[in-house]
Amino acid sequence: MNQPLPSGATAHPGRGDLADLVEVMERVAHGDKEAFSALYDALAPMVFGIVVRVVRDRAQSEEVAQEVMIDLWRQAARYRPESGSVSTWAATIAHRRAVDRVRSAQAAADREHAQAAREHRTAFDEVAEQVETRLESEQVRRCLRGLTELQRQAVTLAYYRGLTYREVAQTLRTPLPTIKTRMRDGLIRLRDCMGVTA
């Protein structure tokens, strides 16, 4: 809070002071800065006490108490004596502001925690996926080495270069039925080697 809390003001004004605060509040509503200074002196300790009990952090409590006092200045025209005393009205505003600050701080902490968890999970998932892909690639290469030369060439052309059976047959200068048979046999061997169940 920019202004130090007054040490001489009482946290709970007496009954005579309450009537004075109503008049002070009316003057504050008309923009009277001296009246606001008097209001501040009378209510700041009580406002700070309420806020610090809820927020529990002195620095944040000072900020919230300052915001409450500014609210009292801005909302002075909305005060209605028939609804309760000035100090009760100020206490209500202080409590609401303090609860809002606690909820806001908790929501921010929850968002940061969730973001950190997402980043950690994403990093783990990416690494796991890369490892899995690399292991699968190594296994595929090992299994391909177990095929005959014609099977390996046919499977590689069809699945890694995207050629049709007919294009594979033309590229390898081998009859189409032979290519189909070699690819079928090669794929069965690959499936068995990779441990894929039909």
Side-chain angles (χ1 to χ4, degrees):
M1 206 151 74
N2 298 337
Q3 254 178 289
L5 292 175
S7 56
T10 58
H12 302 285
R15 292 203 176 276
D17 293 338
L18 290 180
D20 292 344
L21 284 183
V22 172
E23 292 171 18
V24 169
M25 189 59 92
E26 287 174 11
R27 288 173 38 214
V28 170
H30 289 98
D32 186 328
K33 291 179 182 176
E34 285 182 23
F36 178 70
S37 181
L39 185 74
Y40 186 98
D41 290 345
L43 297 179
M46 177 196 70
V47 165
F48 181 76
I50 291 168
V51 171
V52 80
R53 278 194 299 275
V54 175
V55 175
R56 302 203 181 267
D57 175 85
R58 185 169 182 89
Q60 284 194 50
S61 296
E62 288 175 351
E63 286 177 20
V64 174
Q66 187 69 31
E67 290 168 6
V68 170
M69 297 311 295
I70 291 169
D71 279 352
L72 293 176
W73 169 260
R74 290 180 179 158
Q75 298 180 34
R78 294 178 54 198
Y79 170 69
R80 297 289 173 265
E82 60 274 9
S83 299
S85 69
V86 173
S87 57
T88 301
W89 188 61
T92 302
I93 293 172
H95 188 263
R96 283 185 190 149
R97 275 279 192 164
V99 169
D100 287 348
R101 175 63 66 99
V102 170
R103 286 180 180 155
S104 175
Q106 185 60 52
D110 290 347
R111 279 193 303 274
E112 287 176 15
H113 179 71
Q115 180 63 29
R118 275 194 302 275
E119 288 171 1
H120 176 72
R121 189 168 52 248
T122 300
F124 173 80
D125 290 348
E126 286 173 2
V127 170
E129 188 177 319
Q130 288 172 2
V131 168
E132 190 175 320
T133 301
R134 188 172 299 132
L135 289 174
E136 285 176 0
S137 297
E138 289 171 8
Q139 187 178 12
V140 168
R141 281 195 292 275
R142 182 176 52 77
C143 291
L144 278 171
R145 284 194 296 269
L147 302 180
T148 66
E149 184 64 27
L150 185 58
Q151 287 173 336
R152 183 170 46 255
Q153 287 176 335
V155 168
T156 301
L157 288 170
Y159 287 93
Y160 290 101
R161 296 209 184 141
L163 301 183
T164 64
Y165 285 154
R166 187 171 304 285
E167 291 169 331
V168 170
Q170 290 170 351
T171 302
L172 296 177
R173 295 191 178 98
T174 306
L176 182 58
T178 303
I179 289 298
K180 286 184 176 181
T181 302
R182 295 300 179 266
M183 284 186 65
R184 186 194 70 224
D185 294 344
L187 290 173
I188 289 170
R189 287 178 72 178
L190 272 177
R191 184 192 68 198
D192 293 343
C193 179
M194 297 284 293
V196 177
T197 54

